[in-house]
């Protein structure tokens, strides 16, 4: 849901289409030719009408817009990065999870990124706590908050990397 409107992406063997759900009808907003998109796309982050970011299984993060498809970041073959999630903060910075190295990185340019958080930073005695399996950025009054799962830990982090919430397990409370 963006600006009160519900968007859905659909990938198939020919490309990707963005639809807006209006009442009980799906209205096509935009489409992009991309052979075997349903095989190569790992994850999407919609950012507006006719715009989204995608993680490709081939090691590329791309921005799809009404103007076309643009590579935002491509992993070097020797970097051993495995992208999983992509997110965009309120300032337009692009972040991704690298599940091979257990970290969250920010895109600097098409060939460079910088590590923001590493799962080992939140493990006892420096042991790797596992892959970063989710990422969500939430705008807040004091700066963006990062929500993620690192191994068995659920975390909410500040922009500076401070753990504001950490849980190994959650229990349902009374309503």
């Amino acid at each position: 849901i963006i600006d009160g409107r519900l968007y859905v992406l659909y990938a198939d063997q020919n490309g990707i289409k963005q639809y807006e759900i209006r009442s009980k009808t799906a209205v096509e907003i935009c489409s992009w030719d991309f052979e075997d998109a349903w095989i190569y796309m790992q994850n999407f982050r919609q950012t507006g009408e006719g715009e989204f970011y995608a993680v490709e299984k081939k090691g590329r993060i791309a921005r799809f817009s009404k103007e076309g498809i643009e590579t935002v970041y491509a992993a070097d073959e020797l970097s051993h990065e495995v992208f999983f999630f992509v997110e965009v903060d309120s300032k337009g910075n692009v972040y991704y999870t690298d599940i091979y190295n257990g970290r969250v990185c920010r895109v600097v340019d098409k060939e460079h990124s910088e590590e923001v958080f590493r799962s080992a930073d939140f493990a006892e005695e420096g042991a790797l706590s596992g892959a970063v399996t989710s990422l969500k950025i939430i705008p807040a009054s004091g700066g963006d908050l990062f929500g993620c799962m690192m191994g068995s830990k659920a975390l909410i982090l500040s922009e500076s990397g401070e753990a504001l919430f950490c849980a190994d397990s959650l229990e349902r409370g009374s309503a």
Side-chain angles (χ1 to χ4, degrees), residues 12-160:
D12 63 17
Q13 66 273 14
N14 299 315
I16 301 171
K17 294 181 181 183
Q18 183 185 52
Y19 295 93
E20 181 183 349
I21 306 301
R22 297 180 188 160
S23 186
K24 295 181 181 181
T25 306
V27 177
E28 185 177 318
I29 301 297
C30 209
S31 66
W32 298 267
D33 293 333
F34 195 102
E35 188 174 340
D36 291 331
W38 64 285
I39 294 172
Y40 292 114
M41 291 299 161
Q42 175 68 36
N43 208 299
F44 302 102
R45 174 61 172 124
Q46 295 190 70
T47 52
E49 182 179 296
E51 180 183 276
F52 70 93
Y53 288 79
V55 172
E56 294 178 29
K57 292 179 183 176
K58 292 182 174 182
R60 179 174 90 138
I61 297 172
R63 178 179 173 262
F64 288 66
S65 68
K66 292 178 180 178
E67 288 78 42
I69 304 170
E70 168 194 9
T71 297
V72 174
Y73 176 70
D76 181 293
E77 290 182 21
L78 301 176
S79 71
H80 297 99
E81 289 184 296
V82 178
F83 304 148
F84 199 67
F85 277 92
V86 63
E87 261 290 352
V88 181
D89 72 9
S90 59
K91 298 174 210 84
N93 293 309
V94 178
Y95 295 83
Y96 64 90
T97 59
D98 170 6
I99 60 173
Y100 181 82
N101 296 295
R103 62 192 188 148
V104 173
C105 296
R106 184 180 66 82
V107 171
V108 175
D109 58 40
K110 291 181 182 183
E111 298 175 353
H112 302 93
S113 67
E114 64 182 2
E115 183 176 290
V116 179
F117 314 115
R118 180 178 288 275
S119 60
D121 296 340
F122 302 96
E124 295 77 26
E125 301 173 13
L128 186 65
S129 63
V132 182
T133 55
S134 67
L135 178 62
K136 182 68 180 164
I137 299 176
I138 303 107
S141 60
D144 291 334
L145 300 177
F146 293 73
C148 52
M149 291 291 298
M150 293 184 181
S152 62
K153 296 183 184 302
L155 295 165
I156 296 177
L157 307 167
S158 68
E159 286 180 304
S160 65

